[in-house]
Amino acid sequence: MNWPKTLNILKKCLKNFHLASLLAPTDLRIFHIFSQYLGQLNLGALVIEGKTKAVYDIVDSPGHVLLQNKDRITAGDGARAHDMVGKAAISTATTVAIFELLTNAGIKTHFVRQESDTSFVGIKCAMIPIEWVTRRIATGSFLKRNEGVKEGYRFSPPKQETFFKDDANHDPQWSYEQCVAAKLEVGGIQIGPHELDIMARTTVTVFEILERCWAALDCSLIDMKIEFGVNPETGEILLSDVIDSDSWRLWPAGDRRLMKDKQVYRELAEVTPEALDTIKRNFEWVAERVKLLSPKPHARAVVFMGSASDMPHCEKIRDSCKLYGVPCELRVSSAHKGTDETMKILAEYEGEGIPTVFIAVAGRSNGLGPVLSGNATWPVINCPPLSGDWGSHDIWSSMRLPSGLGCSTVMYPEAAGQCAAQILSLSDHIIWSKIRAKQLNTWIGLKTADRKCRKDK
Ligand SMILES: Nc1ncnc2c1ncn2[C@@H]1O[C@H](COP(=O)(O)OP(=O)(O)O)[C@@H](O)[C@H]1O
Ligand SMILES: [Mg+2]
């Protein structure tokens, strides 16, 4: 064995996992020993290699794969392809930030963790060979396929299209019915209407979430392509592959001329080193901004309870807020018996300038909510802990308000947390994303329960 050469390759392999495939079997064994020694992954067989990345088994973690990005840019089903040093790291940074954002929102994805500058670990999936495209604005290939439609036409809800992944035939568009007719067998399940409906709805939800997030940075997400895989161990459909500057059209300030995506590469009359450099800088611009899409929450709910005995009710409100990522503080203050304290606490919260929804919890005669509402500029939600005997009478003290007040009333603590989250989501896209993803998961849960109940018949 040529030791210096082997060591050299090993070092490179540890930096770029995909080079491991160049090693001879003996060297590969040494690579694995080296990897373990240095706390690196022990890579197994190459599962699949595509145009922009290679996917490897991970020896010690059978259900997982390493997705290794390449320094390569391609377009037109690979007809145009160039090396671009640094692209793998830029793509990885973008994909990792986007998948963390989506996973945190509640979307089910294959993403596990970032492994290196140029790679990440995902759940090993059997991939569904369909590209799922969502469009807000008509542009590009849509205009060619739909003669007469003007560029800029706005789809509401977003337009959803499917393309069969087949480079040799230029990824033909498939209708819903064609997708059903194909009866694709993937990861132990057949892809039928149930699975297609779930993917279609997830696709639109993912688009809406990323559109809303980019809007916070004054960038318009115009359209986007994603892929799904099946986790063969659970049969679950997961958002897979990558989402990076290859996946979407992104127009800063909604201006097509400022586009920061791969379209710039597609449209080049001639691919010069300078043009490739501009594209790389665009991608870097995106990778840096993508990190700003997940800011810490700048919103909160504050629950005022008239008595500490209301604590269990208020804890349910706090749990509900948590589901939506809304920080929630609990305070004890009676507007009847400690009016000065109630006003002082209110002034402290309003003075901090963090957008806040106040939730008033007071049994019997609810003076707390209306008093807060009469003095606060921010929204107040009454959520009285209703007692069985007097509940239907007590509720009127929250609802029959003096003129000039605008507090609302909900009966259930879960609803109070959700209502606060929905108000705060007006200015916080992360909270909004969690609400959207939760609605999707509820919809999928109902649809799956319906199918089970029909199967059980
Ligand atoms: N979690 C996963 N498990 C297994 N394969 C995956 C996973 N995510 C993506 N892939 C597959 O990795 C392959 C390589 O990616 P890529 O280079 O983008 O290929 P392509 O040129 O086919 O688009 C694709 O076939 C993609 O479907
Ligand atoms: Mg691909």
Side-chain angles (χ1 to χ4, degrees), residues 353-397:
I354 300 170
T356 304
V357 171
F358 299 108
I359 301 171
V361 173
R364 304 191 189 182
S365 164
N366 175 21
L368 183 57
V371 165
L372 285 172
S373 179
N375 291 277
T377 53
W378 284 329
V380 176
I381 302 167
N382 296 304
C383 186
L386 298 175
S387 65
D389 293 352
W390 284 89
S392 55
H393 302 276
D394 292 351
I395 193 95
W396 289 106
S397 65

Side-chain angles (χ1 to χ4, degrees), residues 47-53 55 65 67 110 122-125 127 165 167 227 240-241:
V47 177
I48 187 163
E49 177 155 11
K51 297 184 287 288
T52 57
K53 61 189 170 296
V55 180
V65 282
L67 292 105
H110 73 150
I123 293 171
K124 182 174 184 176
C125 290
M127 295 301 289
K165 267 193 83 150
D167 277 351
E227 291 177 28
S240 303
D241 204 50

